Amino acid sequence: MSTTAPTAPRPLAARTLPGRGGMPGLGRLVATELRLFTRDLGSVFFVVAFPTVLLVGMALAIPGMREPLQDAGPWTGLKAVDLMTPTMICVAIATAGLTSFPTYLAGYRERGVLRRLSTTPMAPQGVLVAQASVNLIWLLIGSVTAVAVAVLLLDVPLPRDWGLLLLTLPLAIGSVFGIGLILGGVLRKASAAGGIGMLIYFPLLFFAGLWTPVPAMPEALQTLSTWMPLGGASQAMTTAWFGVGDFPTEQFVSMGLWTVSTFTIAVKVFRWR
Amino acid sequence: MTTPTTATTATTSPTAQRHEDPVIRVQHLRKAYRDKVAVRDVSFEVGRGEIFGILGANGAGKSTTVEIVANLRTADGGRIEVLGVDPRRDPAHVKNRVGVQLQESTLQGQITPREALRLYAAFYPDPEDPEALLQLLGLEERADTAFDDLSGGQKQRLSIALALVGRPEIAILDELTTGLDPQARRDTWGLIERVRDSGVTIVLVTHFMDEAERLCDRLMVIDDGVVAALGTPAELTAAPDGRRTFRLALPPGHSPASLGLDALPEVTDITPAGAGWTFTGTDRVLPAVVVALDGQGVVPDEIQTRTRSLEDVFVELVTRTEEKI
């Protein structure tokens, strides 16, 4: 260890070096969190494999899921399992954003990981970025897996409007991760964050059409769903997938409102220690 | 400042240069939480290259003081300077150059020592080699074990390694050996001395007197949010006004009064203690009593001299303030 030049401007130089702007070590932090996540087999299963398992299970176990629908208006000729496929992306988003993401954040605060990091040049916000990235990566893998299995094994059609789908995805993720961020930012224990996350998880998936596919919902329920987190997302994705209906303006307003409001609240209430 | 002989820092007397090159300077620090004042008025300086101890009972304000120095909490009042700057005004300056080991904070349960050290190394502009630190702290064999599966001593050593990985100029270590077995404590002390010898200034928060006495060049006792004492361990344990105390047991049939010991000018106080008496007096009280006994042909049954330990001083300081209340 160097003992010379106690007041040498080393850190100053480091701060102004172009290569070390922003958050030095953030890449390493994301890579490390990604690796740690793979050691948590429960989370890996639920975020990555659960949507696929759920879709295949329903397709095989529930009679008529793979029969073309009769007299279903614009949906005639599609199968029930087709209509469930966009919902599986919502399942992946909800699992990552409401169970894994807040549990990790609250757990890191509970264990003092955030406090420990705050003594280093890495801002504790880096952990948020890392955890969000990790969950994002895994939910995308989970979604792609579910869709690939649906298309290859269950003969589900590919999305018609990729542009609309890709436009929907970030807002859908934003509105759910905003809720996760509030839970993870406020609750002092990982177990509490996971538990309350689960309490929100199932109602949101109901509005996303996990029990009754969105097109089969009564109109009042459909309207309510539009304004719930993931409900609007599921509807917009269904429109993108099958090309049925107009541009989902209300759904986008809904997702935008949820994203902005939850992140605003999260920033205000987040506790670092 | 261009110090010509920084390499000799560790070997020269740290007290001699305490005002030449302070790396931490705290004046009239004050911090209150909602319902209680944690730090009332604390001032101290830490010189470069010394091991500075902060002692106090639980809740005395030790941790609050170092957490403010480490910029984890904001002070309500007072001036703080770390490496020449106010940590509030330039947090990056402090975080790059001060390593902190915190009480009660752990790592991700699945992270291994090697991963943790590589991760933390990535945060600093000029880090220590993680492999060298693993070796220095004897963690090589457990380098790929998950944090949750490490023993208490191994976790503690990793925590110290993380505080050092950024090549800090100051390392703040809070409750260094709490929860360690005696052997692990001794190993950790040796390690801290090696780290100091490499030029790092160390601030050690502890409530173990033996640890402070063994390791610290200078130390400060905080009691109820104020500095109760500040100095080298020798200064703190030196008897006030050169007073000395010893215990004496006499053969049956004799008493201090019967031998005229109470009349000796060197003796100021004699109190019965167990089977004998405790003598207090000037620095020459012991030879004076022994000569007087020898002159009368009396051989004492037992003589026990007593030096004050840091623990005695601590108890004295803390009870004195309690009596004031």
Side-chain angles (χ1 to χ4, degrees):
Chain A
M1 276 173 221
S2 163
T3 57
T4 50
T7 50
R10 189 180 68 193
L12 190 73
R15 244 176 304 153
T16 49
L17 275 179
R20 292 190 67 86
M23 290 183 178
L26 186 60
R28 168 73 72 168
L29 184 58
V30 174
T32 305
E33 290 296 328
L34 205 54
R35 198 165 340 128
L36 295 182
F37 193 90
T38 58
R39 292 179 198 158
D40 181 0
L41 292 179
S43 292
V44 173
F45 172 78
F46 272 104
V47 175
V48 180
F50 184 56
T52 306
V53 171
L54 195 60
L55 185 67
V56 173
M58 285 197 300
L60 297 180
I62 303 174
M65 282 290 279
R66 289 183 290 165
E67 304 299 321
L69 298 168
Q70 312 287 332
D71 301 320
W75 312 102
T76 307
L78 288 170
K79 307 183 293 299
V81 71
D82 298 345
L83 299 178
M84 297 302 291
T85 302
T87 304
M88 290 308 134
I89 297 178
C90 295
V91 170
I93 294 174
T95 310
L98 291 174
T99 66
S100 150
F101 185 50
T103 308
Y104 266 88
L105 290 185
Y108 282 0
R109 186 185 314 93
E110 186 181 353
R111 293 179 67 101
V113 174
L114 298 179
R115 205 164 98 89
R116 181 69 191 77
L117 268 180
S118 65
T119 70
T120 72
M122 169 56 67
Q125 284 87 337
V127 176
L128 287 192
V129 175
Q131 268 303 318
S133 313
V134 167
N135 279 289
L136 191 66
I137 290 168
W138 285 111
L139 88 82
L140 290 177
I141 294 174
S143 300
V144 169
T145 309
V147 172
V149 168
V151 171
L152 296 176
L153 295 184
L154 302 172
D155 205 20
V156 170
L158 280 168
R160 288 252 185 105
D161 190 344
W162 281 97
L164 182 59
L165 185 67
L166 294 179
L167 213 58
T168 308
L169 214 48
L171 280 173
I173 293 167
S175 52
V176 174
F177 273 55
I179 299 170
L181 195 57
I182 296 175
L183 295 180
V186 173
L187 296 169
R188 290 189 182 279
K189 289 197 178 296
S191 52
I196 295 179
M198 269 293 166
L199 283 181
I200 303 175
Y201 181 77
F202 287 109
L204 287 200
L205 286 182
F206 171 79
F207 289 115
L210 186 60
W211 283 270
T212 313
V214 177
M217 286 184 188
E219 203 169 309
L221 189 56
Q222 275 196 33
T223 311
L224 180 61
S225 287
T226 303
W227 296 103
M228 296 306 280
L230 271 191
S234 177
Q235 292 172 3
M237 281 186 219
T238 303
T239 304
W241 212 283
F242 307 107
V244 175
D246 305 324
F247 183 85
T249 312
E250 284 184 349
Q251 285 78 0
F252 270 82
V253 172
S254 166
M255 287 187 287
L257 284 176
W258 278 106
T259 304
V260 171
S261 57
T262 50
F263 273 85
T264 309
I265 293 170
V267 166
K268 288 226 165 76
V269 299
F270 202 92
R271 281 201 291 246
W272 292 106
R273 42 194 308 151
Chain B
M1 201 174 145
T2 47
T3 331
T5 52
T6 6
T8 61
T9 297
T11 48
T12 54
S13 162
T15 43
Q17 47 152 342
R18 79 179 92 155
H19 297 298
E20 283 170 28
D21 188 11
V23 288
I24 298 174
R25 193 181 273 159
V26 172
Q27 287 167 341
H28 305 297
L29 183 68
R30 225 191 89 81
K31 173 75 183 179
Y33 299 118
R34 245 165 279 163
D35 47 347
K36 101 181 242 296
V37 179
V39 177
R40 256 173 243 288
D41 183 4
V42 167
S43 304
F44 64 97
E45 279 183 8
V46 180
R48 182 174 295 277
E50 70 176 340
I51 301 183
F52 184 83
I54 301 181
L55 271 82
N58 290 333
K62 308 178 299 255
S63 286
T64 303
T65 301
V66 292
E67 281 172 8
I68 291 169
V69 171
N71 206 12
L72 287 168
R73 293 180 191 278
T74 323
D76 295 335
R79 273 173 54 95
I80 302 121
E81 238 180 66
V82 178
L83 295 162
V85 301
D86 179 350
R88 278 285 131 188
R89 212 162 295 164
D90 192 355
H93 183 82
V94 172
K95 284 181 175 177
N96 275 329
R97 297 160 70 180
V98 178
V100 184
Q101 180 238 325
L102 288 170
Q103 208 182 333
E104 287 165 11
S105 89
T106 57
L107 297 175
Q108 295 91 319
Q110 292 298 312
I111 203 165
T112 68
R114 179 170 280 129
E115 286 169 338
L117 280 165
R118 284 186 182 164
L119 173 63
Y120 277 60
F123 301 155
Y124 293 92
D126 181 21
E128 186 67 71
D129 173 24
E131 296 303 317
L133 273 176
L134 285 171
Q135 202 176 356
L136 180 71
L137 284 125
L139 284 166
E140 298 145 295
E141 280 174 27
R142 305 288 275 168
D144 297 312
T145 307
F147 181 82
D148 279 349
D149 296 333
L150 298 175
S151 74
Q154 289 160 348
K155 285 180 186 171
Q156 196 73 356
R157 293 208 297 273
L158 175 58
S159 181
I160 297 167
L162 290 175
L164 299 176
V165 75
R167 286 180 191 265
E169 288 172 48
I170 304 172
I172 297 176
L173 308 170
D174 196 352
E175 300 294 353
L176 183 67
T177 60
T178 302
L180 297 192
D181 62 53
Q183 186 53 47
R185 290 185 71 202
R186 267 160 218 291
D187 293 347
T188 309
W189 290 347
L191 171 77
I192 295 307
E193 284 171 333
R194 284 205 298 281
V195 170
R196 190 270 307 271
D197 291 345
S198 73
V200 180
T201 306
I202 291 170
V203 176
L204 194 69
V205 180
T206 184
H207 59 253
F208 293 120
M209 300 304 141
D210 54 343
E211 184 166 297
E213 203 160 4
R214 154 81 197 269
L215 278 180
C216 296
D217 299 312
R218 287 195 310 128
L219 50 91
M220 164 171 83
V221 179
I222 299 187
D223 184 42
D224 197 28
V226 296
V227 178
L230 182 67
T232 64
E235 281 166 8
L236 293 191
T237 52
D241 335 315
R243 282 192 310 139
R244 297 289 158 90
T245 300
F246 67 92
R247 256 177 49 118
L248 177 73
L250 292 168
H254 295 287
S255 76
S258 73
L259 295 165
L261 298 177
D262 52 346
L264 291 170
E266 289 85 357
V267 176
T268 54
D269 190 36
I270 302 173
T271 52
W277 291 267
T278 298
F279 284 69
T280 309
T282 67
D283 54 350
R284 298 205 45 81
V285 63
L286 178 62
V289 168
V290 170
V291 167
L293 288 175
D294 192 42
Q296 300 177 56
V298 177
V299 179
D301 279 358
E302 191 190 345
I303 293 183
Q304 229 177 53
T305 55
R306 254 170 67 78
T307 9
R308 300 199 314 164
S309 70
L310 201 51
E311 190 140 2
D312 298 331
V313 178
F314 181 76
V315 170
E316 227 169 78
L317 286 167
V318 171
T319 43
R320 200 199 298 153
T321 38
E322 268 166 12
E323 279 159 12
K324 263 191 293 187
I325 296 167

